[in-house]
Amino acid sequence: MAPMGIRLSPLGMAVFCLLGLGVLYHLYSGFLAGRFAFFMLSEPAAGGPETPHGSAPGGAVDLRELLAVSVLAAVRGGEEVKRVREGNVLNAKAKGKTREGAEEQLTTGDLLSNRRMFYLLKGAFPAVQINSEERVDTADQETVSWDRSIPEDIKQKIQPKEVPAESVTVWIDPLDATQEYTEDLRQYVTTMVCVAVNGKPVIGVIHKPFSSYTAWAMVDGGSNVKARSSYNEKTPRIIVSRSHAGKVEQVARQTFGNKTVIIPAGGAGYKVLALLDVPEKNQQEADVYIHVTYIKKWDICAGNAVLRALGGHMTTLTGEEISYAGSDGNEGGLIASINMNHKALIEKLPDLEKTSHK
């Protein structure tokens, strides 16, 4: 007799499958749980201990912290600038020519200051874009740590304020007035840091290494410097680059009169400080700062931020606001003032815009 076939009911099949699943779960649950625990221990949770310093959850940075580390960076860079100059180990060489044909100098002070400032800022705020005058050589990378302390004067005047990291651009000038630095005209030399948010300068730091004076300001925040109270708008004292004095003098005297004073000086940082109330015996005073040629943004961003924070202005010669996003150069020259009718100044100097392109 042939064996009879065995047929399982649908209910029996379901029970059989459930039993099989139970056996598989028992065999593999321990293995899977172990692998999951290993994965959780190996990968830091988002926003956990591995979140970079200076960055808040969600990719935000605190501008008060960024101001504090910017001040520290300018001072640390200034220490390198001073050490190299006083040791007379500049190793100056030409790195190229300006659009006007003048040789641009590069020294050991530029390079060491740049390295110290860049890596301090990058270590504290790794998610933020940093633009510097000098190239950063990864072979010379160094660890420069920030202890996250905020100076008391900044704590007292500035409230925490978070902005998206992707909206921030930091501009570094590790040694402003390099030409004057090589000539040992120390009063003109500064180190500068600027923070721009969506292209607008909001934090400016200008440090004078040879006198240890530092000016800082934050737009809609506070500052440790103030504007001078007295200005002469009819016959202003105009501060200009040493190489541009002749270009500006003729037009300025025709516009404001023969009593107008032209002050040749080095360094964009120094020229902005000339518009402010700075307790420095080697700091000249001026009413207006004019530059009539192309200029790099790391030269002017910090000064622009300081002036904005104090109610002043820095624009192109035609009155356009300067954006600190995109390219690193400003084509339209500049005019800077504070506690003066900035628009009236621009209207009085229409010929300078043409001069800036010569």
Side-chain angles (χ1 to χ4, degrees):
M1 178 181 292
M4 297 179 62
I6 300 174
R7 299 179 61 188
L8 293 177
S9 68
L11 178 61
M13 287 290 292
V15 172
F16 180 81
C17 290
L18 288 173
L19 288 172
L21 289 173
V23 171
L24 290 172
Y25 174 79
H26 178 75
L27 290 174
Y28 290 101
S29 60
F31 171 79
L32 292 173
R35 295 303 298 167
F36 180 74
F38 174 80
F39 173 79
M40 292 300 291
L41 289 172
S42 301
E43 298 293 331
E50 294 299 318
T51 299
H53 285 180
S55 299
V61 296
D62 180 1
L63 290 180
R64 184 171 75 166
E65 291 187 349
L66 193 44
L67 169 60
V69 76
S70 295
V71 170
L72 182 60
V75 171
R76 291 279 180 85
E79 291 171 354
E80 297 297 319
V81 167
K82 184 179 180 181
R83 181 174 62 82
V84 169
R85 176 67 265 184
E86 292 184 341
N88 199 28
V89 287
L90 274 65
N91 297 318
K93 61 182 179 179
K95 68 175 181 179
K97 291 190 175 182
T98 67
R99 290 189 179 185
E100 300 165 283
E103 284 193 347
E104 286 190 286
Q105 296 290 309
L106 178 68
T107 71
T108 302
D110 294 89
L111 296 175
L112 294 180
S113 173
N114 182 68
R115 186 173 70 182
R116 181 61 56 90
M117 294 173 70
F118 178 87
Y119 285 115
L120 176 56
L121 286 158
K122 198 64 179 176
F125 292 90
V128 166
Q129 179 181 339
I130 301 176
N131 296 336
S132 179
E133 179 174 9
E134 307 305 337
R135 185 174 65 87
V136 178
D137 190 345
T138 54
D140 292 333
Q141 183 172 349
E142 64 175 287
T143 300
V144 187
S145 60
W146 176 46
D147 63 6
R148 302 184 63 78
S149 64
I150 299 177
E152 284 302 317
D153 58 341
I154 294 178
K155 277 185 179 181
Q156 292 172 7
K157 296 178 180 179
I158 307 294
Q159 296 299 313
K161 181 179 180 180
E162 289 187 354
V163 297
E166 62 270 18
S167 70
V168 175
T169 304
V170 176
W171 295 86
I172 299 174
D173 194 340
L175 200 169
D176 189 40
T178 300
Q179 180 61 46
E180 287 74 18
Y181 182 65
T182 63
E183 298 172 16
D184 209 15
L185 299 174
R186 304 183 183 194
Q187 70 271 25
Y188 296 128
V189 175
T190 62
T191 58
M192 295 187 286
V193 181
C194 177
V195 176
V197 177
N198 295 320
K200 295 183 178 181
V202 297
I203 289 174
V205 180
I206 305 174
H207 174 68
K208 300 184 76 172
F210 297 102
S211 66
S212 299
Y213 173 77
T214 306
W216 60 260
M218 177 172 159
V219 175
D220 296 327
S223 70
N224 72 339
V225 64
K226 59 184 179 180
R228 288 185 294 106
S229 57
S230 60
Y231 294 87
N232 190 336
E233 196 161 347
K234 293 182 178 179
T235 56
R237 292 167 293 179
I238 300 177
I239 193 164
V240 299
S241 294
R242 296 162 69 205
S243 58
H244 299 164
K247 288 184 177 182
V248 178
E249 183 171 6
Q250 184 177 1
V251 175
R253 292 190 187 281
Q254 289 174 351
T255 303
F256 295 108
N258 290 330
K259 292 184 179 180
T260 302
V261 177
I262 303 298
I263 305 172
Y270 177 90
K271 297 184 188 83
V272 168
L273 292 179
L275 307 181
L276 307 177
D277 184 8
V278 175
E280 289 276 289
K281 63 179 181 180
N282 290 326
Q283 178 67 58
Q284 294 165 288
E285 294 183 351
D287 304 309
V288 181
Y289 165 28
I290 293 176
H291 187 86
V292 295
T293 60
Y294 174 88
I295 192 168
K296 292 297 183 68
K297 292 178 181 177
W298 42 67
D299 290 314
I300 60 176
C301 186
N304 198 340
V306 171
L307 289 173
R308 285 188 69 221
L310 298 175
H313 302 274
M314 180 185 287
T315 66
T316 66
L317 293 171
T318 56
E320 297 176 356
E321 295 294 332
I322 301 169
S323 172
Y324 294 90
S327 68
D328 61 12
N330 172 52
E331 295 280 355
L334 70 85
I335 180 168
S337 68
I338 190 167
N339 289 343
M340 297 182 74
N341 188 332
H342 193 76
K343 183 177 180 181
L345 288 171
I346 294 168
E347 291 173 350
K348 286 181 178 180
L349 296 169
D351 293 338
L352 286 179
E353 197 278 330
K354 296 178 182 177
T355 305
S356 70
H357 298 294
K358 292 182 180 180

